[in-house]
Amino acid sequence: MLGIETTCDETAAAIVERDPAGRGRILSNIVLSQTDEHAAFGGVVPEIAARAHVEALDLLIAQAMAEAQCEFGSLDGIAAAAGPGLIGGVIVGLTTAKALALVHRTPLVAVNHLEAHALTARLTDGVEFPYCLFLASGGHTQVVAVRGVGEYVLLGNTMDDAIGEAFDKTAKLLGLGYPGGPKVERLAANGNPHRFALPRPMQYRREPDFSLSGLKTAVRLEAERIAPLSDQDVADLCASFQQAIIDTVYDRLRAGLRLFTERYGAPNALVAAGGVAANQAIRQTLQRLTDESRIRLLVPPPILCTDNGAMIAWAGAERLAAGLTDELGVAPRARWPLEAVAHAGSRG
Ligand code: KG4
Ligand code: ZN
């Protein structure tokens, strides 16, 4: 399966194999980050992203095919992320996939980007359904019951900012640049996590929901209060912010696992996915929580947590195996909630 990812600021293509027993193998996985093109603007500029995808994608696919020693004729399917994401980029990836599928008479699979994050742990660890997913990226912060391919029940969601967005906005207001997650994490390592008293929103609520915009505002108010900021002040703000996130993640995921277990019995694992799962401090927190709850924690390696083509190819392979393919007329979608993804048997 060829997988194409162009929903945000990474252009990516990969070849993945899924054997009849459901085991996966990555044959190639090439990611081209556009970070440099967007850095000067402090965030992703949709029009620049779409044009950069157009320029890079053909060559990237050729590279992925060559590295996997694969020819178009030997593909069983071609998958592209059809949303949710920046619509210009989604159109580039999906249209390219359609053209290849048409020319090579190969089935097309239009993959939901969030579904691809959700299924990655089956590629890396072969985890069985059902499992609890913690999806934390720049655009999403959700707790999901993954019950099967195409069977996703939303247990909790953010009311405002996503966790990655909170990292990015905090970095921006401290003048650290984009993308903020890795920068805040690096500086936090040298800071005092207890210097500033920041809020832990939604703590102790039963539903595993998040609210993070107040936290970001609290960081801004503290920064303004003590301005001008020394390097140590910035490190302390980063550390205190990250500590508030960690405490929130621990409490909210504990609520999520409790709700999952009440409804479906104990999950086979807690799976963390999305760019934020690359954060070591957050990983350690999830490890502590799952050790206490005696639940297996699965976190794909960072390269498979952030956006990549292998996760799209894998989700495509899982859908193809379930008999789910798409017509060439399938539309790109800027918005496409995970719960709206069609499941096995609902389509031909
Ligand atoms: O999944 P992803 O690559 O793209 C989507 O948003 O779909 O996630 C990117 C997000 C960004 O907000 C970035 O700041 C955040 O993940 N991120 C991190 C870390 N690495 C990436 N956040 C915290 N700590 C990190 N180490
Ligand atoms: Zn993503």
Side-chain angles (χ1 to χ4, degrees):
M1 177 75 59
L2 165 66
I4 298 172
E5 159 61 36
T6 56
T7 62
C8 191
D9 61 346
E10 260 98 28
T11 317
I15 312 294
V16 168
E17 204 173 67
R18 183 184 185 278
D19 72 16
R23 281 181 299 251
R25 198 156 70 92
I26 298 173
L27 304 185
S28 65
N29 186 23
I30 302 179
V31 180
L32 182 71
S33 177
Q34 305 174 0
T35 307
D36 293 346
E37 269 126 304
H38 302 285
F41 303 95
V44 179
V45 183
E47 184 59 29
I48 293 177
R51 285 168 192 268
H53 289 309
V54 171
E55 271 172 33
L57 188 55
D58 285 6
L59 198 63
L60 227 69
I61 292 172
Q63 251 177 303
M65 296 292 285
E67 210 172 278
Q69 298 185 334
C70 182
E71 282 164 12
F72 285 110
S74 59
L75 289 172
D76 292 321
I78 296 176
L86 302 173
I87 195 66
V90 177
I91 290 171
V92 173
L94 184 59
T95 306
T96 304
K98 286 178 180 179
L100 289 172
L102 180 65
V103 169
H104 299 286
R105 298 198 167 82
T106 307
L108 172 74
V109 187
V111 168
N112 178 296
H113 177 94
L114 305 175
E115 176 176 37
H117 277 304
L119 296 175
T120 301
R122 287 172 52 76
L123 165 64
T124 54
D125 297 271
V127 61
E128 302 279 346
F129 301 117
Y131 55 88
C132 185
L133 171 73
F134 174 43
L135 176 63
S137 70
H140 296 88
T141 298
Q142 303 187 334
V143 181
V144 180
V146 181
R147 309 182 66 203
V149 174
E151 292 183 63
Y152 313 107
V153 181
L154 186 65
L155 301 179
N157 204 352
T158 180
M159 305 286 122
D160 38 61
D161 292 353
I163 296 187
E165 192 180 356
F167 270 93
D168 293 337
K169 286 178 174 171
T170 296
K172 194 171 182 177
L173 77 89
L174 295 176
L176 303 177
Y178 177 87
K183 291 184 174 147
V184 171
E185 178 177 19
R186 203 163 47 240
L187 290 179
N190 302 318
N192 174 1
H194 307 295
R195 176 165 163 204
F196 300 99
L198 300 172
R200 270 71 170 152
M202 313 294 269
Q203 212 167 18
Y204 307 130
R205 299 234 188 148
R206 197 185 118 79
E207 309 295 330
D209 291 322
F210 292 77
S211 169
L212 298 166
S213 66
L215 175 57
K216 163 201 69 195
T217 307
V219 174
R220 181 170 56 74
L221 293 176
E222 291 292 346
E224 284 169 6
R225 190 172 60 80
I226 61 166
L229 302 177
S230 68
D231 287 353
Q232 192 58 52
D233 291 334
V234 172
D236 291 347
L237 281 165
C238 287
S240 298
F241 164 80
Q242 188 170 273
Q243 188 61 47
I245 292 282
I246 286 170
D247 292 347
T248 303
V249 164
Y250 179 88
D251 175 74
R252 304 291 66 221
L253 266 296
R254 191 173 52 182
L257 289 174
R258 195 181 298 138
L259 187 60
F260 187 111
T261 305
E262 270 172 33
R263 287 205 197 164
Y264 310 111
N268 282 323
L270 173 65
V271 171
V276 175
N279 183 297
Q280 290 302 322
I282 293 177
R283 284 175 179 238
Q284 283 162 15
T285 303
L286 295 174
Q287 192 66 59
R288 181 163 59 90
L289 173 65
T290 49
D291 285 350
E292 288 166 12
S293 324
R294 295 173 200 277
I295 288 170
R296 187 152 78 119
L297 174 69
L298 296 176
V299 191
I303 176 73
L304 295 176
C305 278
T306 52
D307 292 349
N308 65 87
M311 70 178 191
I312 305 297
W314 173 253
E318 293 248 78
R319 292 187 73 79
L320 186 67
L324 297 165
T325 60
D326 291 271
E327 304 291 334
L328 288 177
V330 65
R333 299 166 77 160
R335 298 181 61 83
W336 189 4
L338 194 48
E339 320 84 83
V341 172
H343 65 79
S346 65
R347 283 190 301 172

